[in-house]
Amino acid sequence: KEKLQRLQHLHQIKDDLTDARIRFENITASATYSFKIDNIELKNHGGLAFVFRDTIRFQKRTFDVSVSSFEYLYGFASTTASQFVLLGVYRPGSQPLTATFFDELSSVFEQLASYSCTVIICGDFNIHVDQSDDVNAVRLRDLLQSFGFVQHVTEPTHQRGHILDLVITRSEVGLFNLRVRGMLSDHALIRFAVPLRKSSAEAQWIT
């Protein structure tokens, strides 16, 4: 039964990737996808990967800071129409949440602040941002506000009813059509659209 459920989840992911459309220069079409994965040694938890259209040029980069409290995948993406920075974050829920995480995340945000293009941050932070009295949720919210970032997910993304998976942009970015889909595992799939630098460029993402 477990193998059957996993197979169904894989088919659902494939269907969602097939249905996803990334539109640049007013052209929407099916295309092949490429992958970028992180190079962090994995223990008892998953890694990170970007799946993107072959119309996107993606340059994987690393931050000039030491990060030990979370995994990340980060890079600079460009098309003929626009450019943007994409950061994926995974903080293992099995690890204690300490001040180190917020210090390291702050250092990462400082480096992202140097970009003038659109910055998109998404991933599993394993922080209950839906609980307004949660001290870690408050600290994350204050950190985001200090850098002019906004967290857009407002529906539960975990089977236990919490918002753990986040989509973050600068406050002036008009992200829209964000939808939390059905659970693929114990987490849900998130889809959203965000306008890029040129008005004719629009990207649809799933995370």
Side-chain angles (χ1 to χ4, degrees):
K1 181 179 180 181
E2 182 179 354
K3 289 183 178 180
L4 177 60
Q5 290 177 335
R6 289 184 178 181
L7 183 60
Q8 291 173 336
H9 290 160
L10 289 174
H11 280 299
Q12 180 63 54
I13 293 173
K14 178 179 179 293
D15 290 342
D16 283 311
L17 288 176
T18 302
D19 291 340
R21 292 291 182 268
I22 302 176
R23 186 173 64 193
F24 295 102
E25 298 176 327
N26 293 327
I27 298 176
T28 302
S30 300
T32 58
Y33 291 87
S34 300
F35 292 83
K36 290 290 182 182
I37 62 174
D38 64 356
N39 56 2
I40 298 174
E41 180 180 356
L42 304 180
K43 296 181 181 179
N44 62 342
H45 43 77
L48 293 162
F50 290 155
V51 182
F52 52 91
R53 288 271 300 272
D54 59 358
T55 54
I56 299 176
R57 293 183 58 213
F58 187 86
Q59 298 176 336
K60 183 180 176 182
R61 298 185 179 180
T62 57
F63 292 110
D64 190 23
V65 294
S66 177
V67 174
S68 61
S69 61
F70 61 93
E71 300 175 11
Y72 75 85
L73 180 58
Y74 144 72
F76 186 81
S78 61
T79 70
T80 57
S82 56
Q83 55 190 4
F84 54 97
V85 171
L86 184 60
L87 168 64
V89 173
Y90 173 63
R91 192 195 73 79
S94 58
Q95 296 182 0
L97 185 55
T98 65
T100 300
F101 169 76
F102 294 100
D103 291 341
E104 292 178 348
L105 190 61
S106 178
S107 296
V108 166
F109 285 172
E110 286 177 1
Q111 297 203 14
L112 290 178
S114 64
Y115 289 103
S116 59
C117 62
T118 298
V119 175
I120 304 169
I121 306 166
C122 52
D124 180 4
F125 284 69
N126 269 305
I127 297 177
H128 295 170
V129 299
D130 51 290
Q131 296 182 335
S132 59
D133 58 346
D134 184 286
V135 62
N136 292 314
V138 172
R139 188 167 183 179
L140 178 61
R141 184 187 65 217
D142 291 343
L143 179 62
L144 294 177
Q145 289 178 349
S146 69
F147 283 93
F149 286 127
V150 174
Q151 198 289 115
H152 298 273
V153 182
T154 58
E155 300 177 49
T157 64
H158 189 260
Q159 63 182 4
R160 294 185 178 178
H162 292 293
I163 301 175
L164 306 182
D165 306 278
L166 313 181
V167 177
I168 299 165
T169 66
R170 293 190 178 109
S171 57
E172 66 269 19
V173 175
L175 185 145
F176 57 97
N177 288 343
L178 188 148
R179 292 181 292 167
V180 178
R181 299 286 297 271
M183 298 291 169
L184 296 181
S185 58
D186 55 339
H187 290 260
L189 181 74
I190 302 172
R191 298 182 67 171
F192 60 93
V194 58
L196 297 176
R197 179 174 289 272
K198 291 186 178 181
S199 59
S200 63
E202 176 185 309
Q204 184 170 17
W205 297 95
I206 62 174
T207 180

